[in-house]
Amino acid sequence: MGTKYLAAAVQMVAADDKAANLAEAERWVREAARRGARLVALPEVFVWRGEKHREKEFAESLAGPTAAQMARLARELGIYLLAGSILEDIPLSGKAYNTSLLFAPSGDLLASYRKIHLFDVDLANGVSLRESGTREYGASVVAAKTELGTMGLTVCYDLRFPELYRSLAAQGAELIFVPSAFTAFTGQAHWEALLRARAIENQAYVIAPDQFGKSPKSFETHGHSMIVDPWGKVLAELADGPGIITAEIDLDYLAKVRAELPSLRHRRLS
């Protein structure tokens, strides 16, 4: 297992043009690989964001065209690729899962995670969201062992539920993804604090690619994509606009943090 490698997170804003979103995502993934990233992560629902009542229309199976394109891209570039999340079709249902996909450099699908916590809120700034109206709850905690370490999968609103992250740490997660389309209103108050807390509590790297700005037919998102180390230090951040951030993942450093402050071993409650 390589102890050091470069990871990247992509920041973009998706609209309801699936082809344009996929083209932009691929452009940034290629740029990240060109810069030497062995692991690249895209944000939540990077392939389509539009009117809620049309979500089912744009949902796909895990054998659909978006997954196939991401698999080809991972294989061509020889990278681990987190396809932030897509809307996964549920046959005979009016709803879809919000599903994150992790591909190996071979193009094989290593793991798929269906978002467990759905965002049903009425915010003070007037934004009202009911994810459960069009999406189904996931049920399984998912981590994948790779040559770059054990990777845990979460999505956006999951960030507010520390028990999920502790479950991932118990499965050996050394790096945890948080692909997001985090609302601007809540992000200003809580995004960085929550990301750093999840990294510190679980002594893991956190990679959080976020959408930014106002999607034409959806709510405004926070941006500020981040990569955070196991000590809670923000290694890279992109406040606004499209682009990529990169940071070195050092598994020897992670082991040092866990050895010197062995809080994961000192747990008394389960």
Short mmCIF file of all heavy atoms in Angstrom, two decimals, residues 219-268:
data_model
loop_
_atom_site.label_atom_id
_atom_site.label_comp_id
_atom_site.label_asym_id
_atom_site.label_seq_id
_atom_site.Cartn_x
_atom_site.Cartn_y
_atom_site.Cartn_z
N PHE A 219 -31.70 25.03 -5.49
CA PHE A 219 -31.30 25.99 -4.46
C PHE A 219 -29.83 26.38 -4.58
O PHE A 219 -29.05 25.72 -5.26
CB PHE A 219 -31.58 25.40 -3.07
CG PHE A 219 -30.93 24.05 -2.84
CD1 PHE A 219 -29.65 23.96 -2.33
CD2 PHE A 219 -31.61 22.88 -3.13
CE1 PHE A 219 -29.04 22.74 -2.14
CE2 PHE A 219 -31.01 21.64 -2.92
CZ PHE A 219 -29.73 21.58 -2.42
N GLU A 220 -29.45 27.43 -3.87
CA GLU A 220 -28.07 27.91 -3.88
C GLU A 220 -27.21 27.03 -2.98
O GLU A 220 -27.60 26.70 -1.86
CB GLU A 220 -28.00 29.36 -3.40
CG GLU A 220 -26.60 29.96 -3.50
CD GLU A 220 -26.56 31.42 -3.11
OE1 GLU A 220 -27.61 31.96 -2.73
OE2 GLU A 220 -25.46 32.02 -3.19
N THR A 221 -26.04 26.67 -3.46
CA THR A 221 -25.13 25.80 -2.71
C THR A 221 -23.89 26.56 -2.26
O THR A 221 -23.54 27.61 -2.79
CB THR A 221 -24.75 24.57 -3.54
OG1 THR A 221 -24.46 24.98 -4.90
CG2 THR A 221 -25.87 23.55 -3.57
N HIS A 222 -23.20 25.98 -1.27
CA HIS A 222 -22.19 26.69 -0.49
C HIS A 222 -20.82 26.76 -1.13
O HIS A 222 -20.06 27.70 -0.90
CB HIS A 222 -22.09 26.03 0.89
CG HIS A 222 -21.10 26.66 1.81
ND1 HIS A 222 -21.13 27.99 2.15
CD2 HIS A 222 -20.03 26.12 2.49
CE1 HIS A 222 -20.15 28.26 3.00
NE2 HIS A 222 -19.46 27.15 3.21
N GLY A 223 -20.43 25.75 -1.90
CA GLY A 223 -19.05 25.70 -2.37
C GLY A 223 -18.11 25.33 -1.23
O GLY A 223 -18.42 24.49 -0.39
N HIS A 224 -16.92 25.94 -1.22
CA HIS A 224 -15.93 25.68 -0.16
C HIS A 224 -15.58 24.19 -0.06
O HIS A 224 -15.49 23.63 1.05
CB HIS A 224 -16.41 26.21 1.19
CG HIS A 224 -16.51 27.71 1.24
ND1 HIS A 224 -15.46 28.51 1.66
CD2 HIS A 224 -17.52 28.54 0.88
CE1 HIS A 224 -15.84 29.77 1.57
NE2 HIS A 224 -17.07 29.83 1.10
N SER A 225 -15.42 23.55 -1.22
CA SER A 225 -14.94 22.16 -1.21
C SER A 225 -13.65 22.09 -0.40
O SER A 225 -12.81 23.00 -0.47
CB SER A 225 -14.68 21.68 -2.63
OG SER A 225 -15.89 21.66 -3.37
N MET A 226 -13.49 21.01 0.36
CA MET A 226 -12.35 20.90 1.28
C MET A 226 -11.76 19.50 1.30
O MET A 226 -12.46 18.51 1.06
CB MET A 226 -12.77 21.26 2.71
CG MET A 226 -13.08 22.70 2.95
SD MET A 226 -13.37 23.02 4.72
CE MET A 226 -13.88 24.73 4.62
N ILE A 227 -10.48 19.46 1.64
CA ILE A 227 -9.80 18.24 2.05
C ILE A 227 -9.21 18.53 3.43
O ILE A 227 -8.49 19.51 3.60
CB ILE A 227 -8.71 17.82 1.06
CG1 ILE A 227 -9.31 17.59 -0.33
CG2 ILE A 227 -8.01 16.55 1.56
CD1 ILE A 227 -8.29 17.26 -1.41
N VAL A 228 -9.57 17.69 4.41
CA VAL A 228 -9.19 17.90 5.80
C VAL A 228 -8.38 16.70 6.29
O VAL A 228 -8.70 15.55 5.95
CB VAL A 228 -10.44 18.07 6.69
CG1 VAL A 228 -10.06 18.39 8.12
CG2 VAL A 228 -11.35 19.17 6.13
N ASP A 229 -7.35 16.96 7.07
CA ASP A 229 -6.51 15.85 7.54
C ASP A 229 -7.00 15.31 8.89
O ASP A 229 -7.92 15.87 9.49
CB ASP A 229 -5.04 16.26 7.56
CG ASP A 229 -4.61 17.09 8.76
OD1 ASP A 229 -5.40 17.29 9.70
OD2 ASP A 229 -3.44 17.55 8.75
N PRO A 230 -6.42 14.21 9.38
CA PRO A 230 -6.92 13.58 10.61
C PRO A 230 -6.76 14.42 11.87
O PRO A 230 -7.35 14.08 12.91
CB PRO A 230 -6.09 12.29 10.71
CG PRO A 230 -5.55 12.05 9.35
CD PRO A 230 -5.37 13.40 8.75
N TRP A 231 -5.98 15.49 11.81
CA TRP A 231 -5.82 16.41 12.95
C TRP A 231 -6.82 17.56 12.87
O TRP A 231 -6.86 18.43 13.73
CB TRP A 231 -4.39 16.92 12.99
CG TRP A 231 -3.98 17.53 14.30
CD1 TRP A 231 -3.68 18.85 14.52
CD2 TRP A 231 -3.82 16.88 15.56
NE1 TRP A 231 -3.34 19.05 15.83
CE2 TRP A 231 -3.41 17.85 16.51
CE3 TRP A 231 -3.97 15.56 15.99
CZ2 TRP A 231 -3.17 17.56 17.84
CZ3 TRP A 231 -3.73 15.25 17.31
CH2 TRP A 231 -3.33 16.25 18.23
N GLY A 232 -7.60 17.60 11.78
CA GLY A 232 -8.59 18.64 11.60
C GLY A 232 -8.09 19.83 10.82
O GLY A 232 -8.79 20.85 10.71
N LYS A 233 -6.90 19.74 10.25
CA LYS A 233 -6.34 20.84 9.47
C LYS A 233 -6.92 20.82 8.06
O LYS A 233 -6.95 19.78 7.40
CB LYS A 233 -4.82 20.71 9.40
CG LYS A 233 -4.14 21.81 8.59
CD LYS A 233 -2.63 21.61 8.54
CE LYS A 233 -1.95 22.68 7.70
NZ LYS A 233 -0.48 22.46 7.63
N VAL A 234 -7.38 21.99 7.60
CA VAL A 234 -7.86 22.11 6.23
C VAL A 234 -6.65 22.19 5.31
O VAL A 234 -5.90 23.17 5.32
CB VAL A 234 -8.76 23.35 6.06
CG1 VAL A 234 -9.20 23.49 4.60
CG2 VAL A 234 -9.98 23.25 6.97
N LEU A 235 -6.47 21.15 4.51
CA LEU A 235 -5.30 21.09 3.61
C LEU A 235 -5.54 21.84 2.31
O LEU A 235 -4.59 22.33 1.69
CB LEU A 235 -4.98 19.63 3.29
CG LEU A 235 -4.61 18.73 4.47
CD1 LEU A 235 -4.37 17.30 3.98
CD2 LEU A 235 -3.39 19.27 5.21
N ALA A 236 -6.79 21.90 1.87
CA ALA A 236 -7.11 22.57 0.62
C ALA A 236 -8.57 22.99 0.65
O ALA A 236 -9.41 22.30 1.24
CB ALA A 236 -6.86 21.65 -0.57
N GLU A 237 -8.85 24.13 0.02
CA GLU A 237 -10.22 24.65 -0.02
C GLU A 237 -10.40 25.50 -1.26
O GLU A 237 -9.49 26.23 -1.67
CB GLU A 237 -10.52 25.50 1.22
CG GLU A 237 -11.90 26.14 1.23
CD GLU A 237 -12.14 27.00 2.46
OE1 GLU A 237 -11.20 27.16 3.28
OE2 GLU A 237 -13.25 27.55 2.59
N LEU A 238 -11.57 25.39 -1.89
CA LEU A 238 -11.94 26.26 -3.00
C LEU A 238 -13.24 26.94 -2.61
O LEU A 238 -14.30 26.31 -2.53
CB LEU A 238 -12.13 25.44 -4.28
CG LEU A 238 -12.55 26.23 -5.53
CD1 LEU A 238 -11.55 27.35 -5.85
CD2 LEU A 238 -12.72 25.29 -6.72
N ALA A 239 -13.16 28.24 -2.33
CA ALA A 239 -14.31 28.96 -1.79
C ALA A 239 -15.47 29.03 -2.77
O ALA A 239 -16.62 28.75 -2.42
CB ALA A 239 -13.90 30.36 -1.35
N ASP A 240 -15.18 29.40 -4.00
CA ASP A 240 -16.26 29.65 -4.96
C ASP A 240 -15.78 29.32 -6.36
O ASP A 240 -14.57 29.26 -6.62
CB ASP A 240 -16.70 31.11 -4.87
CG ASP A 240 -18.05 31.37 -5.53
OD1 ASP A 240 -18.79 30.39 -5.74
OD2 ASP A 240 -18.34 32.53 -5.85
N GLY A 241 -16.72 29.12 -7.26
CA GLY A 241 -16.38 28.90 -8.65
C GLY A 241 -16.01 27.45 -8.93
O GLY A 241 -15.75 26.67 -8.02
N PRO A 242 -15.97 27.10 -10.21
CA PRO A 242 -15.61 25.73 -10.59
C PRO A 242 -14.10 25.52 -10.52
O PRO A 242 -13.32 26.46 -10.69
CB PRO A 242 -16.11 25.64 -12.03
CG PRO A 242 -15.98 27.05 -12.55
CD PRO A 242 -16.29 27.95 -11.38
N GLY A 243 -13.70 24.29 -10.28
CA GLY A 243 -12.28 23.98 -10.27
C GLY A 243 -11.99 22.73 -9.47
O GLY A 243 -12.89 21.95 -9.13
N ILE A 244 -10.72 22.53 -9.16
CA ILE A 244 -10.31 21.37 -8.38
C ILE A 244 -9.36 21.83 -7.27
O ILE A 244 -8.69 22.85 -7.37
CB ILE A 244 -9.61 20.30 -9.24
CG1 ILE A 244 -8.39 20.86 -9.97
CG2 ILE A 244 -10.58 19.67 -10.22
CD1 ILE A 244 -7.61 19.83 -10.76
N ILE A 245 -9.36 21.05 -6.20
CA ILE A 245 -8.35 21.20 -5.15
C ILE A 245 -7.63 19.88 -5.01
O ILE A 245 -8.19 18.81 -5.29
CB ILE A 245 -8.98 21.61 -3.80
CG1 ILE A 245 -10.08 20.63 -3.38
CG2 ILE A 245 -9.50 23.03 -3.87
CD1 ILE A 245 -10.63 20.87 -1.98
N THR A 246 -6.37 19.95 -4.58
CA THR A 246 -5.59 18.74 -4.37
C THR A 246 -4.87 18.82 -3.04
O THR A 246 -4.59 19.91 -2.53
CB THR A 246 -4.55 18.53 -5.49
OG1 THR A 246 -3.61 19.62 -5.49
CG2 THR A 246 -5.20 18.40 -6.85
N ALA A 247 -4.59 17.66 -2.48
CA ALA A 247 -3.82 17.58 -1.25
C ALA A 247 -3.19 16.20 -1.15
O ALA A 247 -3.70 15.22 -1.71
CB ALA A 247 -4.69 17.84 -0.02
N GLU A 248 -2.08 16.14 -0.44
CA GLU A 248 -1.41 14.86 -0.23
C GLU A 248 -2.09 14.09 0.90
O GLU A 248 -2.33 14.62 1.98
CB GLU A 248 0.06 15.08 0.13
CG GLU A 248 0.84 13.79 0.30
CD GLU A 248 2.30 14.04 0.65
OE1 GLU A 248 2.58 14.44 1.80
OE2 GLU A 248 3.16 13.84 -0.23
N ILE A 249 -2.40 12.84 0.64
CA ILE A 249 -2.88 11.91 1.66
C ILE A 249 -1.68 11.11 2.15
O ILE A 249 -0.98 10.49 1.35
CB ILE A 249 -3.96 10.97 1.10
CG1 ILE A 249 -5.09 11.77 0.45
CG2 ILE A 249 -4.48 10.05 2.19
CD1 ILE A 249 -5.82 12.72 1.37
N ASP A 250 -1.43 11.15 3.45
CA ASP A 250 -0.25 10.51 4.03
C ASP A 250 -0.73 9.52 5.10
O ASP A 250 -1.06 9.90 6.22
CB ASP A 250 0.66 11.58 4.64
CG ASP A 250 1.96 11.00 5.19
OD1 ASP A 250 2.07 9.77 5.34
OD2 ASP A 250 2.87 11.81 5.48
N LEU A 251 -0.73 8.24 4.76
CA LEU A 251 -1.23 7.23 5.69
C LEU A 251 -0.28 6.99 6.85
O LEU A 251 -0.72 6.57 7.93
CB LEU A 251 -1.51 5.93 4.94
CG LEU A 251 -2.60 6.01 3.85
CD1 LEU A 251 -2.81 4.66 3.21
CD2 LEU A 251 -3.90 6.54 4.43
N ASP A 252 1.00 7.29 6.68
CA ASP A 252 1.93 7.21 7.81
C ASP A 252 1.59 8.29 8.84
O ASP A 252 1.65 8.05 10.05
CB ASP A 252 3.37 7.39 7.34
CG ASP A 252 3.92 6.14 6.65
OD1 ASP A 252 3.33 5.05 6.85
OD2 ASP A 252 4.90 6.26 5.91
N TYR A 253 1.25 9.48 8.35
CA TYR A 253 0.84 10.55 9.26
C TYR A 253 -0.44 10.18 9.99
O TYR A 253 -0.57 10.40 11.20
CB TYR A 253 0.66 11.85 8.49
CG TYR A 253 0.10 12.97 9.33
CD1 TYR A 253 0.86 13.57 10.33
CD2 TYR A 253 -1.22 13.42 9.15
CE1 TYR A 253 0.33 14.59 11.13
CE2 TYR A 253 -1.74 14.43 9.94
CZ TYR A 253 -0.96 15.01 10.92
OH TYR A 253 -1.48 16.00 11.71
N LEU A 254 -1.39 9.60 9.27
CA LEU A 254 -2.62 9.15 9.91
C LEU A 254 -2.32 8.14 11.02
O LEU A 254 -2.87 8.24 12.13
CB LEU A 254 -3.55 8.53 8.86
CG LEU A 254 -4.90 8.01 9.36
CD1 LEU A 254 -5.98 8.25 8.31
CD2 LEU A 254 -4.84 6.53 9.69
N ALA A 255 -1.44 7.18 10.75
CA ALA A 255 -1.08 6.19 11.76
C ALA A 255 -0.42 6.85 12.97
O ALA A 255 -0.66 6.44 14.12
CB ALA A 255 -0.17 5.14 11.16
N LYS A 256 0.39 7.89 12.72
CA LYS A 256 1.05 8.61 13.81
C LYS A 256 0.02 9.31 14.69
O LYS A 256 0.09 9.26 15.93
CB LYS A 256 2.02 9.63 13.22
CG LYS A 256 2.79 10.47 14.22
CD LYS A 256 3.81 11.34 13.48
CE LYS A 256 4.62 12.20 14.45
NZ LYS A 256 3.80 13.29 15.03
N VAL A 257 -0.97 9.97 14.06
CA VAL A 257 -2.02 10.64 14.83
C VAL A 257 -2.77 9.64 15.69
O VAL A 257 -3.02 9.86 16.89
CB VAL A 257 -3.00 11.37 13.87
CG1 VAL A 257 -4.25 11.82 14.62
CG2 VAL A 257 -2.30 12.56 13.23
N ARG A 258 -3.12 8.50 15.12
CA ARG A 258 -3.87 7.49 15.86
C ARG A 258 -3.05 6.84 16.96
O ARG A 258 -3.59 6.45 18.01
CB ARG A 258 -4.41 6.43 14.90
CG ARG A 258 -5.51 6.96 13.98
CD ARG A 258 -6.10 5.88 13.10
NE ARG A 258 -7.26 6.38 12.36
CZ ARG A 258 -8.02 5.64 11.55
NH1 ARG A 258 -7.74 4.34 11.38
NH2 ARG A 258 -9.06 6.17 10.93
N ALA A 259 -1.74 6.75 16.76
CA ALA A 259 -0.88 6.16 17.80
C ALA A 259 -0.64 7.12 18.95
O ALA A 259 -0.64 6.72 20.12
CB ALA A 259 0.45 5.74 17.17
N GLU A 260 -0.44 8.40 18.64
CA GLU A 260 -0.12 9.38 19.69
C GLU A 260 -1.34 9.82 20.49
O GLU A 260 -1.22 10.19 21.66
CB GLU A 260 0.57 10.59 19.05
CG GLU A 260 1.95 10.27 18.50
CD GLU A 260 2.63 11.48 17.89
OE1 GLU A 260 1.99 12.57 17.80
OE2 GLU A 260 3.80 11.36 17.51
N LEU A 261 -2.52 9.81 19.84
CA LEU A 261 -3.76 10.16 20.52
C LEU A 261 -4.78 9.05 20.22
O LEU A 261 -5.64 9.21 19.35
CB LEU A 261 -4.27 11.52 20.05
CG LEU A 261 -5.53 12.05 20.73
CD1 LEU A 261 -5.33 12.20 22.24
CD2 LEU A 261 -5.95 13.37 20.12
N PRO A 262 -4.68 7.92 20.94
CA PRO A 262 -5.46 6.73 20.56
C PRO A 262 -6.91 6.76 21.03
O PRO A 262 -7.41 5.82 21.67
CB PRO A 262 -4.67 5.60 21.23
CG PRO A 262 -4.06 6.23 22.44
CD PRO A 262 -3.75 7.65 22.04
N SER A 263 -7.61 7.82 20.68
CA SER A 263 -8.99 7.98 21.16
C SER A 263 -9.93 6.91 20.60
O SER A 263 -10.89 6.53 21.28
CB SER A 263 -9.51 9.38 20.82
OG SER A 263 -9.46 9.61 19.42
N LEU A 264 -9.66 6.43 19.40
CA LEU A 264 -10.51 5.38 18.84
C LEU A 264 -10.42 4.10 19.66
O LEU A 264 -11.40 3.36 19.79
CB LEU A 264 -10.15 5.10 17.37
CG LEU A 264 -10.46 6.22 16.38
CD1 LEU A 264 -9.92 5.87 15.01
CD2 LEU A 264 -11.95 6.49 16.32
N ARG A 265 -9.26 3.86 20.26
CA ARG A 265 -9.10 2.67 21.11
C ARG A 265 -9.63 2.89 22.52
O ARG A 265 -9.83 1.94 23.27
CB ARG A 265 -7.62 2.26 21.18
CG ARG A 265 -7.02 1.85 19.86
CD ARG A 265 -5.82 0.95 20.03
NE ARG A 265 -4.82 1.48 20.94
CZ ARG A 265 -3.77 2.22 20.59
NH1 ARG A 265 -3.62 2.53 19.31
NH2 ARG A 265 -2.90 2.64 21.46
N HIS A 266 -9.83 4.15 22.90
CA HIS A 266 -10.27 4.47 24.27
C HIS A 266 -11.78 4.54 24.40
O HIS A 266 -12.29 4.85 25.49
CB HIS A 266 -9.67 5.81 24.70
CG HIS A 266 -8.20 5.77 24.91
ND1 HIS A 266 -7.42 6.89 25.00
CD2 HIS A 266 -7.33 4.70 25.02
CE1 HIS A 266 -6.16 6.56 25.18
NE2 HIS A 266 -6.08 5.23 25.19
N ARG A 267 -12.52 4.24 23.35
CA ARG A 267 -13.97 4.34 23.42
C ARG A 267 -14.55 3.39 24.45
O ARG A 267 -14.13 2.23 24.53
CB ARG A 267 -14.59 4.05 22.06
CG ARG A 267 -14.35 5.14 21.03
CD ARG A 267 -15.14 4.89 19.76
NE ARG A 267 -14.85 3.57 19.19
CZ ARG A 267 -15.76 2.68 18.83
NH1 ARG A 267 -17.03 2.95 18.99
NH2 ARG A 267 -15.41 1.53 18.30
N ARG A 268 -15.50 3.86 25.22
CA ARG A 268 -16.16 3.02 26.24
C ARG A 268 -17.60 2.70 25.86
O ARG A 268 -18.19 1.78 26.41
CB ARG A 268 -16.15 3.76 27.59
CG ARG A 268 -14.74 4.07 28.12
CD ARG A 268 -14.00 2.81 28.51
NE ARG A 268 -14.68 2.06 29.55
CZ ARG A 268 -14.57 2.33 30.86
NH1 ARG A 268 -13.80 3.33 31.27
NH2 ARG A 268 -15.22 1.61 31.76
#
